[in-house]
Amino acid sequence: MGCRERAAKSALLRIVADGDECVPDPRGTLPGRGAYMHPVTVCLDLAVRRRAFPRAFKAKGPFDSAALQRYVERVTP
Ligand SMILES: [Zn+2]
């Protein structure tokens, strides 16, 4: 998801849907269908623009990615 580059799962951030919100799940403990992407702003922007979240979560969306954005900015300044 995002740039679609192949990467080891350990390099990727798991994201799950909580209602209509995208939530980062760095420890991989949250239930539900997960989406994986690099925890960087470029990849997040791409994912949002390509509507990758509704596709990944098999839901109509749109999904709020504000919390995810803040998380990504914190881990990858
Ligand atoms: Zn990426």
Side-chain angles (χ1 to χ4, degrees):
M1 186 160 115
C3 65
R4 291 176 187 171
E5 258 174 46
R6 283 178 168 277
K9 236 179 190 181
S10 59
L12 300 173
L13 171 66
R14 182 171 193 263
I15 298 148
V16 296
D18 182 10
D20 60 357
E21 204 182 348
C22 298
V23 183
D25 179 23
R27 287 146 98 211
T29 52
L30 297 177
R33 180 181 286 275
Y36 292 86
M37 87 178 189
H38 299 116
V40 292
T41 307
V42 254
C43 292
L44 175 58
D45 287 348
L46 276 173
V48 170
R49 239 180 301 148
R50 287 172 174 161
R51 296 183 181 80
F53 290 113
R55 242 188 356 256
F57 300 140
K58 298 215 185 297
K60 195 157 169 276
F63 288 94
D64 181 2
S65 56
L68 181 56
Q69 183 93 43
R70 282 195 300 276
Y71 176 87
V72 166
E73 282 164 5
R74 208 175 63 227
V75 294
T76 323

